[in-house]
Amino acid sequence: MKVGAIIPCRMRASRLPGKPLLDVGGRTAMERVVARVQACSRVERVIIATTAEPDDDRLCAFAEHCGVDVFRGSTDDVLQRIARAALTGGLDAVVEVDGDDLLCAEEYMERGLELVLGSEVDYLSFTGLPLGITPSILRTEALERAMKIKPPSDTSTGFFRFLQESGQFQVAKVAANNPAHRHPTARLTLDYPQDLIFFSEVYRVLDERGGGWDLAGLVALLHDRPDFVALNQGLDEAYWQHFETGVTKGFSA
């Protein structure tokens, strides 16, 4: 089976405009995410799934300069965009990592693919870790089917909610129980200016160490540096309010 990574992202964001190309310790946010998925040994192809909006022309040019494939699709229907990127790319299985997830752990990409490819699961996610640490793993066939039968046209937020809740797909939610991978308060997704400062500080240290790290090492760093963790604390309530508003809008469309 051909496995690829799909990274949905776009330049226009209400909370942090242009974030894929913002500097994070000397590399763009997009480069950081691409490096994470390329660390997964099973990933054969990386596709940036963005929109046809003019704002994303610069993102596409930068991705192509970096040797990363690009698919341009719907602005609001992100599930459809991901599905069509997978089909166009000839993928059988997908590692989906949001463009916000600059520290996504390749250990869970590897484990998720092993579990999905060794079963009949359509969609797999991990529970018990901070948002942004783990990917979603999907079969392209399930993405194609979901694209055809889902009711909402706007899945810009919560784009896998239909797969999880419709009862028409085999879904696995796997608990991540390794205590070395846990942190009680760390926030690991890029949505606000404070998140950008957090990622820049963390990557400054990781790059100084040579760039090679695993999730246990990252979590140990966060335990050692509570000042880093404090940089973007207090944002989760606003984040989840925004998320639920977006989901409600999409599923009432």
Side-chain angles (χ1 to χ4, degrees):
M1 297 183 73
K2 187 172 182 179
V3 174
I6 295 180
I7 304 169
C9 63
R10 56 181 304 207
M11 292 292 285
R12 183 176 295 181
S14 59
R15 292 166 294 184
L16 194 60
K19 62 183 173 181
L21 298 184
L22 292 177
D23 182 82
V24 181
R27 302 179 72 185
T28 65
M30 187 183 71
E31 287 177 289
R32 295 294 190 184
V33 180
V34 168
R36 300 312 309 141
V37 298
Q38 288 178 332
C40 177
S41 64
R42 291 175 178 257
V43 168
E44 302 172 53
R45 186 176 187 183
V46 179
I47 303 173
I48 302 291
T50 192
T51 82
E53 301 288 337
D55 287 349
D56 291 320
D57 291 349
R58 190 159 62 97
L59 173 60
C60 294
F62 191 82
E64 291 167 1
H65 175 73
C66 295
V68 176
D69 293 324
V70 173
F71 175 84
R72 305 188 76 166
S74 172
T75 297
D76 295 323
D77 196 339
V78 183
L79 193 152
Q80 180 192 91
R81 192 197 315 160
I82 292 170
R84 289 184 171 167
L87 290 165
T88 302
L91 305 179
D92 299 299
V94 169
V95 177
E96 186 277 332
V97 176
D98 291 354
D100 303 334
D101 297 349
L102 280 62
L103 291 166
C104 195
E106 74 269 19
E107 297 104 309
Y108 287 93
M109 301 180 208
E110 301 277 2
R111 184 181 175 196
L113 284 166
E114 181 180 359
L115 292 171
V116 168
L117 297 180
S119 70
E120 295 184 356
V121 168
D122 294 313
Y123 169 90
L124 181 143
S125 62
F126 293 96
T127 64
L129 296 178
L131 182 69
I133 283 292
T134 61
S136 297
I137 310 295
L138 307 102
R139 292 184 182 275
T140 299
E141 183 276 331
L143 281 167
E144 183 179 20
R145 186 155 47 97
M147 176 181 66
K148 292 176 179 178
I149 65 176
K150 67 180 176 60
S153 60
D154 181 342
T155 57
S156 56
T157 304
F159 38 84
F160 293 143
R161 184 70 68 92
F162 178 68
L163 281 93
Q164 296 176 55
E165 298 181 355
S166 68
Q168 300 187 57
F169 301 89
Q170 292 201 36
V171 174
K173 295 188 177 183
V174 180
N177 295 320
N178 188 337
H181 294 170
R182 291 181 174 273
H183 192 287
T185 59
R187 173 182 161 79
L188 299 164
T189 186
L190 180 61
D191 287 291
Y192 300 98
Q194 298 95 316
D195 298 325
L196 182 64
I197 298 170
F198 165 81
F199 280 115
S200 296
E201 287 298 305
V202 170
Y203 263 114
R204 176 179 58 79
V205 174
L206 294 176
D207 291 346
E208 286 174 356
R209 293 179 176 181
W213 56 272
D214 60 13
L215 182 52
L218 169 63
V219 173
L221 169 63
L222 297 178
H223 283 299
D224 289 343
R225 295 298 304 265
D227 55 317
F228 287 177
V229 176
L231 289 168
N232 61 348
Q233 290 297 285
L235 299 174
D236 281 350
E237 183 177 355
Y239 172 86
W240 286 113
Q241 286 179 350
H242 185 275
F243 180 88
E244 291 300 333
T245 299
V247 169
T248 301
K249 173 189 172 187
F251 277 75
S252 63

